[in-house]
Amino acid sequence: NDEEHTQVDNPDQRIADDTRTFCRQTLDFTVGVFDALLTFVLNILVLWSISPRLTLALFIYSGTATLVLMVSSRKLVRINYNQLRVEADFRFGLVHIR
């Protein structure tokens, strides 16, 4: 059994550190989302008070741009996956040549 040869020095401390990191990242994410939503709503309210037509035009523009990016990026995900697979096969081949 390899448990005697592992370099785990203090598993309790590592669990505590991982828990602290998880809680900190979760809190940072939650506060970041809340801050982004609050900023978005307040800016939309200010923009709406200036020009409702401009606000609607910006919503339509951003929705259209998001749709175009989502449609065009579908192919990129497949290309990236194939690229990573080919590189992994190449590295596997190089290891077996040595």
Side-chain angles (χ1 to χ4, degrees):
N1 202 357
D2 287 334
E3 290 179 5
E4 297 173 5
H5 302 293
T6 58
Q7 297 296 325
V8 177
D9 51 343
N10 191 353
D12 293 339
Q13 182 67 33
R14 291 178 58 197
I15 291 171
D17 288 343
D18 289 344
T19 304
R20 183 182 312 111
T21 302
F22 174 76
C23 291
R24 184 177 298 137
Q25 288 179 350
T26 302
L27 182 64
D28 289 345
F29 176 76
T30 305
V31 169
V33 167
F34 179 73
D35 182 48
L37 286 174
L38 188 62
T39 302
F40 174 75
V41 168
L42 291 176
N43 284 326
I44 291 300
L45 290 175
V46 170
L47 186 60
W48 186 268
S49 70
I50 295 171
S51 172
R53 269 182 77 188
L54 180 61
T55 306
L56 293 176
L58 289 175
F59 272 119
I60 292 169
Y61 172 76
S62 63
T64 304
T66 301
L67 185 64
V68 166
L69 286 173
M70 286 175 59
V71 169
S72 64
S73 67
R74 282 187 197 196
K75 197 172 194 179
L76 292 176
V77 172
R78 190 176 321 118
I79 290 171
N80 187 33
Y81 174 77
N82 288 336
Q83 178 71 25
L84 291 174
R85 186 177 48 81
V86 168
E87 288 175 2
D89 291 343
F90 179 70
R91 285 192 301 272
F92 180 77
L94 286 177
V95 168
H96 286 296
I97 289 175
R98 288 183 174 184

